[in-house]
Amino acid sequence: MQPMVLPSTVTDKTEPLIRIQHISKSYRNTHALRDISIEIPRGTIFGLIGPNGAGKTTLLRILAALLTPSSGQVWFGQQEVTSTPAIIQRKVGYMPDFFGVYPDLSSTEYLEFYAGIHGIPRQKRAGIVTDLLELVELTSKRDAMVETLSRGMKQRLCLARAMVHDPEILLLDEPASGLDPRARVELRELVRTLQGMGKTVLISSHILLELAEMCTDIAILQNGELVIAGDVEKVIHQLGGGRQIEIRLLDKERVEEALNHLKDVTDLHNLTTPEETLIQADFTGDDQALHQILATLITKGLPIVSFAPRSGGGRLEEVFLNITERNSQS
Amino acid sequence: MTFTALLIKEMRLRMRRERTIWLIVAYILLLGLLGWLNVSVSSAGANNSGNWGNIGLGLYSLLLIVQLFLILFITPAFTSTAINGEKERQTFDLLLCSNLSSTALITGKWLAGLINALLLIAASIPIFSLVFFFGGVSPIQALEALLIFVLTAMLAASLGIFCSTLVARPAISTALSYVLLLLWLGLPVLLAIIVPQSTHSTMASPDIPVYLNWHPVMALLSTYNYGGIIGNNATMFGPFIMPIWQVYCIFSSMAILFFIALSLWLVKPQGWNRLKQRLHKNHSLNEKHETKASVTA
């Protein structure tokens, strides 16, 4: 099966930071990864999505130099790094899908230990640890024993640990799994902050929705193969998921009139009115087309209260399930 | 630098465990209690005969042997889960991701376990000093015994590290290190019992059989020649004649280096596979070599 690779909006501007070329990994009889090629632009939040066993963790572990691929290469910029783990270790911060904490250390000691084994000079360690604890909002827990932290806090501490050597690239394996909604929102904000700091972040998840709302680019893996990769909106569009838009009007008398206008728009399908003043429709066009629809409605003088294109929701999951199911059958 | 960071973390974790303190307390209490019993029993007889030097020697022998077995059986516990314990706690990958070299990892873990054992030896020194009240042991002899203790602790610690890199499950690696220790201690003794003495030595010079040369008990006894068990307490070592404890030190140092080197090899990712591959390569090279040779022949 030939994976669809869509051009990324960011790739157009800069050359990719990470190039994964024809990576395969097999253990005895099983193929964990088959001929994966992905380009990851600098400064993106790149989501790796796939059901359990799709090869996400294997790919991340290869990028962290913890596994050597059976074939293929990984390039960081102009440098081939598959055979030079030392470069990878310097540039990559890896956060596995488990915590990996020592019971009898405080948060500060925990981070200082990892700073130490990353070769950071002793006099710099305290400053780095203080900054990191502040970044992940654990300053108040600096002297608390690691085992007493909540799951969300441990997750943030592990993220701080992955950053002790100030890596360019962060690999986060299932960072949101098992977190409550609040911790999840905090994690999302944190990842955005990291992007703002110029980091390139790779996140894996088996929940598309979780990534769609924070990633700029995504790749979908299925049975060790790449299904599709590229800019998040385009991927969702390509998958046939499109977007759903919701238009709320001030009074129900004008709803009929609005529906008449919207019927003629080619990018809109499945027009429904779940509430008296609310119109929902599936939208498959681009932002330009969306803007046109709003402009038309406004010029017709329709009393629009809200016009909200919303990505996904449960529908996105449905699309994801469809595509992975389709591929597993084919 | 990475090495000291690892060592500091290891020592912190160890010292924060309550059992470390309790172990030292129990260790000192046991040694002290046995020593006190020995003195109180034998001093009753000494009051009559007036030979206090013998009491000192008796106490010293008892403490030496007890301490030797305590060191032998406590030290592996400090290191036999060092590497696979990290794997089980899922922190091993994180160590691999860092700048920590396998040398720093193995020696750091080894030294941390060893320091724990040395702490026990150091804590026992005040009890040993009791011997000097009674006399009968020279300071040089005591230093030789100390050297044997330190080397034995190093050996047991390196054996533990080796087992923890060899076996994935901590419980099994601990068991394995004890089994190996028992074999090392027990087999020569068993041999000595089974093999008839007369075939090895004449009655005139009761030499110790070769296989008992690398035995910690023999080495300890040879430092002060207790009760003349070991004859002239020297043994033939190649062209040299030297005391058993020196032979023991040489063999132990070699064994320590051997275990550390093997652990260094095994701790690297897929150490086993690479070892197999290399063996396979050598094997196939040899085969090629042989076929070439046969062709030319």
Side-chain angles (χ1 to χ4, degrees):
Chain A
M1 184 196 61
Q2 204 56 33
M4 293 179 271
V5 178
L6 303 174
S8 162
T9 43
V10 193
T11 3
D12 301 338
K13 293 173 207 151
T14 55
E15 82 151 14
L17 176 64
I18 307 170
R19 271 183 297 151
I20 298 165
Q21 292 185 328
H22 308 292
I23 289 280
S24 296
K25 177 74 188 174
S26 43
Y27 305 94
R28 291 195 183 89
N29 307 322
T30 53
H31 295 280
L33 291 176
R34 277 182 249 214
D35 198 25
I36 302 274
S37 297
I38 306 174
E39 294 193 344
I40 298 164
R42 189 181 291 275
T44 47
I45 304 177
F46 196 99
L48 277 176
I49 309 158
N52 293 333
K56 306 181 297 282
T57 300
T58 308
L59 187 59
L60 287 181
R61 283 173 64 86
I62 286 174
L63 289 176
L66 288 169
L67 275 181
T68 38
S70 307
S71 64
Q73 294 171 323
V74 178
W75 293 70
F76 286 179
Q78 298 296 325
Q79 216 163 12
E80 201 270 310
V81 293
T82 334
S83 49
T84 46
I87 296 177
I88 297 187
Q89 281 156 8
R90 207 170 53 237
K91 291 196 171 184
V92 165
Y94 173 58
M95 180 172 125
D97 57 348
F98 40 78
F99 292 132
V101 293
Y102 297 98
D104 293 329
L105 289 183
S106 73
S107 309
T108 308
E109 288 163 346
Y110 180 75
L111 292 179
E112 273 179 355
F113 165 58
Y114 282 99
I117 61 170
H118 273 98
I120 290 158
R122 186 184 295 272
Q123 56 278 24
K124 283 190 187 166
R125 282 180 216 162
I128 289 174
V129 168
T130 311
D131 290 349
L132 281 175
L133 284 173
E134 199 174 322
L135 177 72
V136 299
E137 290 171 17
L138 283 176
T139 309
S140 62
K141 295 282 180 187
R142 54 177 305 132
D143 295 321
M145 289 292 159
V146 170
E147 61 188 343
T148 64
L149 300 181
S150 73
R151 206 179 161 87
M153 288 175 183
K154 274 187 197 160
Q155 195 70 284
R156 296 208 301 273
L157 184 67
C158 287
L159 186 56
R161 188 216 58 232
M163 294 178 60
V164 284
H165 56 304
D166 195 24
E168 275 178 70
I169 302 156
L170 278 166
L171 310 176
L172 314 181
D173 198 356
E174 303 264 355
S177 71
L179 295 188
D180 61 41
R182 187 188 166 79
R184 215 171 273 212
V185 172
E186 285 168 352
L187 181 77
R188 197 168 65 212
E189 293 308 313
L190 190 53
V191 170
R192 292 224 175 99
T193 312
L194 297 180
Q195 189 198 21
M197 291 162 65
K199 310 275 181 210
T200 305
V201 189
L202 259 85
I203 304 178
S204 82
S205 175
H206 55 274
I207 303 167
L208 177 60
L209 181 61
E210 200 174 273
L211 292 188
E213 57 193 14
M214 76 170 128
C215 291
T216 55
D217 292 55
I218 54 172
I220 296 181
L221 292 177
Q222 160 82 1
N223 289 337
E225 291 180 44
L226 182 65
V227 179
I228 186 168
D231 181 80
V232 73
E233 291 297 320
K234 287 179 185 162
V235 167
I236 289 170
H237 177 67
Q238 190 76 18
L239 290 180
R243 285 182 282 190
Q244 217 171 32
I245 58 168
E246 284 184 343
I247 303 163
R248 193 176 284 281
L249 293 149
L250 192 59
D251 53 68
K252 52 189 174 189
E253 281 79 33
R254 308 287 298 271
V255 170
E256 200 59 37
E257 188 187 342
L259 278 174
N260 282 333
H261 286 297
L262 294 171
K263 258 180 214 154
D264 304 331
V265 183
T266 47
D267 290 330
L268 285 178
H269 319 277
N270 305 330
L271 285 160
T272 51
T273 48
E275 291 170 40
E276 279 185 333
T277 58
L278 183 73
I279 301 171
Q280 275 188 349
D282 290 340
F283 175 70
T284 50
D286 56 9
D287 286 355
Q288 186 62 37
L290 200 62
H291 164 69
Q292 276 302 329
I293 297 171
L294 181 60
T296 314
L297 292 178
I298 301 271
T299 47
K300 299 290 175 194
L302 288 160
I304 293 168
V305 179
S306 75
F307 182 91
R310 55 178 199 128
S311 290
R315 198 174 143 65
L316 207 54
E317 285 306 298
E318 223 170 85
V319 170
F320 174 61
L321 287 178
N322 281 344
I323 191 155
T324 48
E325 206 167 290
R326 205 160 63 214
N327 282 317
S328 59
Q329 281 165 359
S330 64
Chain B
M1 197 160 49
T2 55
F3 171 78
T4 34
L6 178 72
L7 193 63
I8 289 170
K9 180 222 98 180
E10 284 294 313
M11 294 315 292
R12 262 192 186 135
L13 286 183
R14 279 169 196 277
M15 287 305 147
R16 280 183 191 167
R17 270 181 226 138
E18 263 186 28
R19 68 161 189 240
T20 309
I21 306 303
W22 286 117
L23 183 68
I24 296 176
V25 171
Y27 185 87
I28 297 303
L29 277 181
L30 182 69
L31 269 186
L33 204 66
L34 282 174
W36 176 75
L37 271 177
N38 181 279
V39 170
S40 63
V41 167
S42 52
S43 64
N47 276 334
N48 301 331
S49 66
N51 194 350
W52 288 94
N54 274 349
I55 296 182
L57 213 53
L59 175 67
Y60 183 64
S61 310
L62 176 85
L63 291 181
L64 277 190
I65 300 299
V66 172
Q67 164 135 308
L68 176 72
F69 280 94
L70 286 177
I71 291 295
L72 271 173
F73 287 97
I74 293 174
T75 316
F78 292 147
T79 55
S80 64
T81 59
I83 302 297
N84 53 16
E86 293 273 350
K87 285 182 185 164
E88 196 166 80
R89 214 184 297 118
Q90 301 185 306
T91 43
F92 191 66
D93 278 353
L94 307 176
L95 298 182
L96 284 185
C97 282
S98 70
N99 288 3
L100 196 68
S101 66
S102 52
T103 318
L105 176 61
I106 292 290
T107 48
K109 287 276 184 184
W110 176 71
L111 195 60
L114 183 65
I115 288 175
N116 238 353
L118 294 184
L119 202 62
L120 293 180
I121 296 177
S124 74
I125 288 177
I127 293 182
F128 271 86
S129 69
L130 277 179
V131 172
F132 291 97
F133 276 124
F134 303 101
V137 181
S138 82
I140 293 293
Q141 288 170 342
L143 280 181
E144 287 168 3
L146 187 66
L147 177 69
I148 289 173
F149 281 138
V150 172
L151 269 173
T152 308
M154 286 165 78
L155 179 64
S158 60
L159 176 71
I161 284 274
F162 164 70
C163 290
S164 80
T165 54
L166 187 70
V167 184
R169 291 194 31 211
I172 296 181
S173 65
T174 308
L176 179 69
S177 49
Y178 282 114
V179 167
L180 289 177
L181 255 185
L182 280 175
L183 284 178
W184 174 55
L185 291 177
L187 269 188
V189 176
L190 210 64
L191 261 178
I193 295 169
I194 293 169
V195 179
Q197 279 292 308
S198 56
T199 59
H200 273 277
S201 57
T202 58
M203 289 300 282
S205 66
D207 280 341
I208 328 131
V210 180
Y211 46 80
L212 274 179
N213 277 342
W214 186 36
H215 199 282
V217 177
M218 300 301 283
L220 269 184
L221 296 181
S222 78
T223 56
Y224 66 107
N225 194 15
Y226 179 64
I229 302 169
I230 317 179
N232 60 4
N233 103 44
T235 185
M236 293 286 285
F237 181 61
F240 310 104
I241 293 175
M242 52 173 76
I244 294 178
W245 67 266
Q246 289 182 5
V247 178
Y248 174 81
C249 289
I250 292 170
F251 275 124
S252 296
S253 308
M254 286 183 341
I256 292 164
L257 290 178
F258 173 72
F259 283 131
I260 297 278
L262 263 185
S263 312
L264 283 179
W265 183 268
L266 286 173
V267 79
K268 287 176 186 161
Q270 288 150 10
W272 262 122
N273 289 346
R274 285 186 300 127
L275 195 65
K276 266 189 229 160
Q277 270 172 11
R278 181 161 288 200
L279 287 177
H280 188 73
K281 229 182 244 174
N282 281 349
H283 192 65
S284 53
L285 271 179
N286 284 344
E287 271 180 1
K288 270 182 200 167
H289 209 70
E290 275 168 23
T291 48
K292 265 185 194 167
S294 60
V295 166
T296 49

